[in-house]
Amino acid sequence: DGLMEKAKGFVVGAINFYESKEFSLSGFMLHQAVEHGLNSLLQPLMQFRLHTHNLHKLMRITRRFSLEIFNLFPRDTDSEIRLFQLLQKAYIHASYKDTFDVKKEEAALLLRRIKLLLQKVAEEFERIVHSIKVP
């Protein structure tokens, strides 16, 4: 799927920026990885592409199909809320706000979590497709 390939490419870019200590740009790439990864699941299931950069909205819709994916960003503690907000803000702020800062530890945590998210998206897609196939 083209969207999943792009999502994986954004992760590669995020790793490159992380290794160059450009953590804010790594955050931007990780935002794009999540956006494209979630759309790679949602577009075939819903039969249209959601044209939004709002990860909260994409995650809320994903929740209908997979609690496991949704719960990778549970937003049930202050630190989890801040982490998700950091990822959400990275799309605009990394490009336009000189004061936007992602710390190394935050970028590392996001990188691990988003790699897992993309893995779960692929697994859930296969599970859902197999569950609706007619024998």
Side-chain angles (χ1 to χ4, degrees):
D1 165 71
L3 289 169
M4 182 54 86
E5 290 309 309
K6 280 187 179 178
K8 291 175 183 176
F10 282 120
V11 169
V12 170
I15 292 168
N16 288 337
F17 281 123
Y18 180 86
E19 290 172 349
S20 302
K21 298 183 180 10
E22 295 278 351
F23 305 121
S24 296
L25 291 175
S26 182
F28 172 85
M29 299 298 270
L30 290 170
H31 176 284
Q32 289 296 286
V34 173
E35 180 183 325
H36 284 76
L38 293 178
N39 270 310
S40 77
L41 176 68
L42 295 174
Q43 182 177 337
L45 295 174
M46 297 176 62
Q47 296 297 302
F48 68 92
R49 175 140 184 222
L50 295 158
H51 291 282
T52 182
H53 302 293
N54 186 327
L55 299 184
H56 176 72
K57 181 177 184 178
L58 290 170
M59 289 293 280
R60 195 175 65 241
I61 296 167
T62 299
R63 183 180 182 183
R64 298 176 187 170
F65 300 102
S66 173
L67 277 176
E68 189 174 9
I69 293 170
F70 179 82
N71 286 333
L72 289 173
F73 285 97
R75 293 168 274 168
D76 56 356
T77 65
D78 287 345
S79 62
E80 285 291 337
I81 291 167
R82 272 193 306 277
L83 184 68
F84 189 78
Q85 287 175 339
L86 182 69
L87 179 63
Q88 177 71 29
K89 288 178 182 176
Y91 178 71
I92 297 290
H93 289 42
S95 299
Y96 299 110
K97 299 225 183 226
D98 292 336
T99 58
F100 182 69
D101 184 45
V102 176
K103 296 187 180 13
K104 181 180 183 177
E105 301 77 26
E106 294 167 330
L109 178 57
L110 286 170
L111 194 52
R112 285 191 304 272
R113 189 97 45 105
I114 290 162
K115 283 179 176 179
L116 182 58
L117 182 138
L118 294 182
Q119 176 187 331
K120 294 295 178 190
V121 163
E123 290 170 5
E124 285 295 283
F125 182 80
E126 287 302 314
R127 183 189 65 76
I128 291 168
V129 166
H130 287 348
S131 73
I132 59 176
K133 279 190 176 175
V134 179

